[in-house]
């Protein structure tokens, strides 16, 4: 029987994504359910600290001794705002939302689309942390891009309608804004493309892959 990782999340999208990725490493994923208000997210300056604090709290709710547990935290980091909203992305999205983020960057505009992308550079970043029964492993993923000048598309969630990912080269690495990649949204935001294409850029996918690389031989089944 495949080993199981208990994923501390109530987000069905995250659960489906993790199930898909960890299956490739021979690991089954199940949601770890805890009563509302049990896990307190600390105020911290980086995603790693938040993820580790949540893992340590989750250890008190393991379904059985030695169980593996995972959390995943993500955020939007805008270069011109020194990384804000970063670890506060959920709060900022709940309060001022995408229109508020656009207002914060109103002064950073250019008629030249390449210059506009440079001025409005941003990234999604994700950390996937796992208690493997004896220690905490951390995987990190990043998706480079820029903030659009207006809301575009109504797909996805969160900041998707204002985030334009950087094109990718053959190796899946992000390219500068003046270079057309083999994987491209052609200037569209994550909110205006289908989820399969978003997946190719996904910070979350990269964090899970990085986490799997921490296992000996890249996964429990090699
Ligand atoms: P969380 O780690 O899933 O709670 O993400 C924190 C916040 O970042 C969420 O409220 C989302 O608004 C935003 N976020 C994280 N990942 C994504 C993404 O892939 N697309 C759009 N927004 C995201």
């Amino acid at each position: 029987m495949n080993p199981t990782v208990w994923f501390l999340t109530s987000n069905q999208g995250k659960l489906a994504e993790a199930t898909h990725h960890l299956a490739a490493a021979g690991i089954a994923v199940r949601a770890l359910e805890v009563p509302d208000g049990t896990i307190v997210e600390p105020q911290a300056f980086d995603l790693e600290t938040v993820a580790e604090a949540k893992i340590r709290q989750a250890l008190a709710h393991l379904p059985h001794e030695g169980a593996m547990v995972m959390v995943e935290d993500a955020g939007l980091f805008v270069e011109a705002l020194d990384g804000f909203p970063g670890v506060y992305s959920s709060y900022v999205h709940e309060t001022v939302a995408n229109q508020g983020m656009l207002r914060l960057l109103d002064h950073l505009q250019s008629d030249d689309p390449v210059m506009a992308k440079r001025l409005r550079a941003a990234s999604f970043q994700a950390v996937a942390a796992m208690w493997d029964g004896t220690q905490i492993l951390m995987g990190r993923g990043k998706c480079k891009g820029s903030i659009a000048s207006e809301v575009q598309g109504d797909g996805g969630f969160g900041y998707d309608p204002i985030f334009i990912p950087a094109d990718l080269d053959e190796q899946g690495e992000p390219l500068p804004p003046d270079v057309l990649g083999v994987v491209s949204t052609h200037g569209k935001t994550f909110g205006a493309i289908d989820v399969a294409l978003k997946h190719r850029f996904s910070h979350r996918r990269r964090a899970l892959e990085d986490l799997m690389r921490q296992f000996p031989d890249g996964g429990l089944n090699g």
Side-chain angles (χ1 to χ4, degrees):
M1 205 175 73
N2 283 350
T4 299
V5 166
W6 295 84
F7 190 9
L8 182 71
T9 185
S10 52
N11 180 325
Q12 292 305 312
K14 282 189 179 189
L15 190 64
E17 218 171 301
T19 302
H20 175 79
H21 286 298
L22 272 62
I27 301 171
V29 178
R30 290 182 65 181
L32 177 65
E33 282 164 21
V34 296
D36 277 354
T38 311
I39 307 288
V40 180
E41 193 161 313
Q43 279 213 325
F45 292 113
D46 55 77
L47 295 172
E48 284 86 351
T49 308
V50 175
E52 182 171 342
K54 283 160 73 174
I55 283 269
R56 294 207 180 277
Q57 294 176 69
L59 291 182
H61 303 276
L62 291 185
H64 58 85
E65 204 182 321
M68 297 194 287
V69 61
M70 182 170 82
V71 306
E72 186 260 284
D73 272 284
L76 177 70
F77 294 72
V78 177
E79 281 184 19
L81 303 177
D82 292 336
F84 182 84
V87 290
Y88 306 108
S89 293
S90 294
Y91 176 72
V92 169
H93 200 267
E94 277 163 27
T95 50
V96 300
N98 287 336
Q99 290 297 350
M101 280 307 298
L102 293 179
R103 277 198 300 277
L104 279 174
L105 299 181
D106 232 8
H107 59 297
L108 300 173
Q109 302 282 359
S110 170
D111 291 337
D112 172 3
V114 171
M115 181 54 73
K117 282 185 181 173
R118 289 209 172 103
L119 290 171
R120 300 166 74 89
S123 61
F124 275 126
Q125 295 178 32
V127 165
M130 186 189 287
W131 172 257
D132 71 355
T134 51
Q135 61 180 329
I136 296 175
L137 306 173
M138 290 261 183
R140 294 169 184 82
K142 191 170 183 173
C143 171
K144 285 189 173 186
S146 59
I147 303 299
S149 54
E150 56 187 15
V151 169
Q152 186 200 91
D154 51 13
F157 68 98
Y159 298 102
D160 279 346
I162 61 165
F163 183 83
I164 303 168
D167 284 15
L168 304 177
D169 67 14
E170 288 85 353
Q171 281 74 44
E173 294 303 319
L175 289 161
D178 53 341
V179 183
L180 181 66
V182 292
V183 184
S184 175
T185 70
H186 302 284
K188 289 188 185 157
T189 67
F190 273 162
I193 61 169
D194 68 55
V195 72
L197 180 56
K198 177 183 172 185
H199 207 60
R200 302 194 56 187
F201 298 90
S202 170
H203 46 297
R204 197 164 291 112
R205 173 178 64 77
R206 290 170 191 268
L208 290 167
E209 284 173 359
D210 188 39
L211 183 65
M212 287 303 95
R213 282 193 287 271
Q214 327 265 320
F215 279 100
D217 304 322
L220 296 185
N221 283 355

